[in-house]
Amino acid sequence: VLHFIHAVAAASDGVKAWDILKEKSFNVDLVLTEVDLPLMSGFLLLSTIMEHDASKNIPVISMSLFS
């Protein structure tokens, strides 16, 4: 039987999300983000993630309240 343990880190804005990723990118398996974030948009967060070697291979799922 396999047992998986998942930890979730939550951020209230894009800047805090990036701060978490900078510190823990070695231990992040997936980023789930809203497109419309305060301080740093989800698009800018994605761009920033893709520009850094430590985080560029982390899968990102972006969601939007708007359709």
Side-chain angles (χ1 to χ4, degrees):
V1 174
L2 297 174
H3 295 279
F4 297 99
I5 297 173
H6 302 282
V8 175
S12 57
D13 61 62
V15 172
K16 289 179 185 172
W18 176 240
D19 288 342
I20 291 169
L21 278 169
K22 284 190 298 188
E23 291 177 19
K24 302 181 182 211
S25 62
F26 61 90
N27 202 24
V28 174
D29 295 318
L30 175 70
V31 174
L32 179 62
T33 183
E34 167 64 42
V35 171
D36 189 27
L37 292 173
L39 302 181
M40 176 190 285
S41 74
F43 293 119
L44 183 54
L45 177 60
L46 174 61
S47 240
T48 305
I49 290 169
M50 300 298 287
E51 290 174 358
H52 289 82
D53 288 337
S55 58
K56 69 180 180 184
N57 292 319
I58 299 172
V60 177
I61 298 174
S62 296
M63 304 176 299
S64 177
L65 175 67
F66 309 105
S67 53

